[in-house]
Amino acid sequence: MQEGQDISRLPTERRNFGIVFQSYALFPNLTAAQNIAYGLENMRQSRSQVKARVEELLSLVGMPECRDRYPSQLSGGQQQRVALARALAPAPSLLLLDEPLSALDAQVRVTLREEVVQLQRRLGVTTIMVTHDQTEALCMADRMVVMQAGRVIQAGPPAEIYRHPATPFVARFVGTMNFLPGTLAAENEVRAGRLRLFVGPPANQTAKKEVLAAIRPEDIRVAGVSLGMRNTIIARLNAVQFLGAFHRLSFDIEQPPVKLLADVTAQDAHSLGSNLRPGADLTIQLPQDRILLFGAT
């Protein structure tokens, strides 16, 4: 396609895909039904075919009662459904979604991402979705592609990318990750300041002497007493964030001078009792089979 060429004017056989834009781009002067019918009418389908397809799609997205409403009379979630129905109307072989949920309220976004996944699987349409929301990507995708500066850094199932990120950038971008700079002292040992960390499978392999030891906050164990295990540290609790289903704890480590985040369940937080307060010294343990290694950059 030439630069600046209007894709809407390309023959259908050359662009057999549907697009849902971030802003939805619904025609404000057309009703929901007319917006959905727009592409079908451009394909010169008969009036009866268009009407049947529009009714089918309105029912599919759960909005048969909104057929005669204009975009200004619809909520953000309803506009998103109409935009999705319009993209699906010509029965495309590929569906492109450009951050379609980013403009919605948090609760509506959670509901609609489930609906989009169910609809996509029911129709069997291959879908490519662009999003900066890591939670959205993890829960909606069968396969994720992480890009940096226009280049693909890693691709694979969401669980694989989350648990085995290929680079520190992927580790930071997909979820939250703690990093401890250190030196590879032996095959399974990292020295990070005064800390001596033992690492093991499935730790990343690196030939570099200077490394970053990385661990997810939810993999760190927190206790009010000594655990008597490897990779145990006494750390000062700096802050506590209540996040509903879990608490996020921020610890200050003196050597090396870094902050560590640890996520504990509501039950574990309750077990810590009065120890769960800023300024308290707690025992944290970094399981060696959860530590990843990256070459320092």
Side-chain angles (χ1 to χ4, degrees):
M1 186 175 71
Q2 296 178 354
E3 186 176 354
Q5 189 172 2
D6 184 355
I7 62 172
S8 67
R9 297 182 180 276
L10 293 176
T12 302
E13 62 272 12
R14 288 179 55 194
R15 57 174 189 89
N16 189 22
F17 58 83
I19 303 178
V20 177
F21 297 97
Q22 184 175 356
S23 62
Y24 310 141
L26 297 175
F27 299 111
N29 59 321
L30 300 182
T31 65
Q34 290 169 334
N35 266 281
I36 297 171
Y38 185 81
L40 300 173
E41 292 171 346
N42 282 348
M43 295 169 61
R44 302 292 191 270
Q45 291 194 9
S46 68
R47 186 172 299 178
S48 60
Q49 287 177 312
V50 171
K51 182 179 179 181
R53 181 63 170 163
V54 168
E55 295 300 330
E56 176 189 1
L57 287 166
L58 282 169
S59 178
L60 189 66
V61 297
M63 293 181 58
E65 74 285 356
C66 298
R67 66 179 327 279
D68 295 322
R69 295 182 190 174
Y70 291 91
S72 61
Q73 298 172 310
L74 301 174
S75 67
Q78 289 173 328
Q79 290 181 43
Q80 194 268 352
R81 289 187 178 96
V82 172
L84 186 60
R86 182 179 63 180
L88 292 170
S93 57
L94 177 66
L95 184 61
L96 306 178
L97 307 179
D98 180 14
E99 297 193 73
L101 309 179
S102 62
L104 302 175
D105 293 338
Q107 190 57 51
V108 177
R109 192 161 61 242
V110 170
T111 301
L112 283 180
R113 71 191 184 198
E114 296 173 357
E115 293 183 5
V116 169
V117 169
Q118 292 174 5
L119 183 62
Q120 183 269 334
R121 289 178 178 169
R122 188 157 68 244
L123 297 176
V125 179
T126 300
T127 304
I128 298 175
M129 179 172 170
V130 177
T131 180
H132 289 86
D133 186 321
Q134 52 190 242
T135 302
E136 202 168 87
L138 288 170
C139 73
M140 294 182 71
D142 296 312
R143 182 176 177 83
M144 283 177 59
V145 177
V146 181
M147 301 183 70
Q148 181 183 18
R151 294 175 53 245
V152 174
I153 303 299
Q154 188 175 359
E160 177 184 317
I161 290 179
Y162 184 82
R163 275 296 169 199
H164 305 290
T167 68
F169 171 81
V170 176
R172 290 188 186 97
F173 189 74
V174 182
T176 302
M177 185 69 85
N178 292 297
F179 290 98
L180 283 163
T183 302
L184 195 60
E187 183 179 356
N188 293 314
E189 183 182 338
V190 172
R191 295 292 178 90
R194 295 180 182 177
L195 302 181
R196 182 185 181 193
L197 294 177
F198 292 93
V199 299
N204 290 11
Q205 298 299 314
T206 177
K208 293 187 177 182
K209 192 75 172 176
E210 301 300 315
V211 297
L212 287 174
I215 187 168
R216 298 284 185 192
E218 67 268 22
D219 291 330
I220 296 178
R221 297 182 61 191
V222 181
V225 296
S226 175
L227 294 172
M229 304 171 69
R230 279 183 167 183
N231 298 347
T232 296
I233 307 167
I234 303 299
R236 179 65 51 87
L237 181 58
N238 181 52
V240 180
Q241 295 182 65
F242 173 67
L243 298 175
F246 66 96
H247 290 67
R248 175 155 290 172
L249 313 183
S250 177
F251 291 94
D252 285 326
I253 307 295
E254 293 183 359
Q255 292 291 336
V258 296
K259 288 188 180 294
L260 278 184
L261 298 178
D263 292 344
V264 297
T265 65
Q267 181 177 351
D268 288 341
H270 179 73
S271 300
L272 289 169
S274 61
N275 290 314
L276 196 65
R277 55 178 173 78
D281 289 329
L282 293 174
T283 300
I284 60 176
Q285 193 259 336
L286 285 60
Q288 65 182 80
D289 63 344
R290 291 298 190 180
I291 298 175
L292 301 174
L293 288 185
F294 299 98
T297 55

